[in-house]
Amino acid sequence: MTTLVREFTKGLWDEIPLFRIVLGLCPALAVTTSLENGLGMGLSATFVLICSNGLISALRNIIPDEVRVACYIVVIAAFVVCVEMVTKAYFFALSESLGIFIPLIVVNCIILGRAEAFARKNGVLASLADGLGMGLGFTLALVIVGTIREFLGAGTLGLIFGDTVFLSRPFGFLQQAPGAFLTLGLLLGAMNLLGKLGKKEA
Amino acid sequence: MESYFALVIGAIFINNIMLAKFLGSCPFLGVSKKMDTAIGMGAAVVFVLTLAGTITWVVDRYVLVPFGLGYIQTLAFILVIATLVQFVELFLRKAIPALYKSLGIFLPLITTNCAVLGTAIINIQEELDLLETILFSLASAIGFGLALVLFAGIRERFEISRIPKPLEGTGIGLVTAGLLAISFFAFKGMI
């Protein structure tokens, strides 16, 4: 039980994707113009990650080693197609704003990376826990970036406060492409700084 | 004719696939530490992306659409791309060993380069015809290569500059990419 909890929590801080191991950048940069998009993207990726981790781990003794990457991609792509259909049917607005980035979950390095690094060698339960942790860690990171960019860039936080405008003259620059790079770059720096301070105290 | 020109210039400079659409960020940050590798990756992407864009278009038009299989587009495209990359690798190893040696390690990485799958999907979404698809794929790939090489050029200078400790590595890389993206804004007035 303790190991399961450990597999789950490592994704939230110690090995939080995006900030620690810089993977999954494309969606992180592209869809984080608002908190809502970030959350939607994060949850979609989490779902795919949990399912693919579980299934790949269950099939780990059947999949031949030589063609494993191709098999992983097929498994992942199948779940991504499910997500695509569900978002189109029930969350149409979200699927419009995420657009091309939902099919692109297939090539999100985090998902393939976890299959290769974890699910291939561990049991189903551990892999599910790992997928859940990593997915939520990724979601958390996207939510942070999305919140910063929406709050400072558009002056709103649509998901929580509706139409309330906090800043009358927001930095529209942050909503544009360069703003995404800058926000994420500075956040990485801040994470490193925090990590270092934490180590000194401990 | 003019519309083709606009399509190409737009894909290279204005809607640069990397700096404006963020497709292919992982290799962009991963292989841009040295000029040689950046050029190798850029060339490999130009090669594979143009081929993949064209082939996925043909697959979509003549296989998926007639059989009503549009919903497995994602799955079909990624399979086509993965197979194509394998095939190109085999072909180059036998036919042009020199090129294979210089592109070698970058080829497998391209399967998971979202610029490739992304462009393939955009081609279909924008309802481009075959010639436009080829041009757009080529131009997108050139845009990616251009951004990659420019970025590598800047990044090589990091080794002799003083960078704040916490920003070292990826942090400063992202900030630089941001500045590069701002400079590409200047092209916006062109069309």
Side-chain angles (χ1 to χ4, degrees), chain B residues 93-175:
Chain B
R93 197 188 309 181
K94 284 271 189 293
I96 323 172
L99 187 63
Y100 173 74
K101 250 184 206 148
S102 52
L103 297 185
I105 42 169
F106 302 113
L107 280 173
L109 288 176
I110 292 181
T111 311
T112 51
N113 184 339
C114 39
V116 180
L117 183 61
T119 310
I121 297 173
I122 292 174
N123 285 335
I124 306 298
Q125 270 180 359
E126 302 278 314
E127 297 177 349
L128 303 178
D129 63 31
L130 185 58
L131 182 61
E132 283 173 338
T133 298
I134 297 172
L135 281 178
F136 182 75
S137 307
L138 182 65
S140 297
I142 291 174
F144 177 76
L146 179 72
L148 188 63
V149 169
L150 284 176
F151 188 51
I154 302 173
R155 225 174 163 183
E156 276 192 337
R157 305 198 53 157
F158 284 174
E159 291 185 7
I160 48 167
S161 23
R162 285 169 53 202
I163 296 163
K165 263 260 148 36
L167 281 177
E168 267 175 12
T170 321
I172 194 76
L174 281 165
V175 173

Side-chain angles (χ1 to χ4, degrees), chain A residues 22-27 29-31 70 73-75 77-78 80-81 84-85 99-104 106-109 112 149 173 176-182 184-186 188-190 192-193 196, chain B residues 18-26 28-29 71-75 78-79 82 111-115 117-119 121-122 125 165-168 170-179 181-182 185 188:
Chain A
V22 190
L23 287 178
L25 273 176
C26 315
L29 291 165
V31 301
I73 288 184
V74 174
V75 170
V80 170
V81 172
E84 240 183 303
M85 289 165 143
I100 181 175
F101 287 94
I102 291 188
L104 283 182
V106 179
V107 282
N108 188 325
C109 333
L112 196 62
R149 283 183 69 195
F173 162 74
Q176 308 254 357
F181 288 112
L182 281 184
L184 197 59
L186 294 177
L188 274 179
N192 284 342
L193 202 61
K196 220 170 266 168
Chain B
M18 172 58 223
L19 295 169
K21 290 190 204 145
F22 309 107
L23 298 175
S25 325
C26 300
F28 183 73
L29 286 164
Y71 60 92
I72 57 157
Q73 193 194 50
T74 313
L75 185 59
I78 192 73
L79 279 179
T111 311
T112 51
N113 184 339
C114 39
L117 183 61
T119 310
I121 297 173
I122 292 174
Q125 270 180 359
K165 263 260 148 36
L167 281 177
E168 267 175 12
T170 321
I172 194 76
L174 281 165
V175 173
T176 314
L179 297 176
I182 295 179
F185 266 19
K188 277 216 159 145

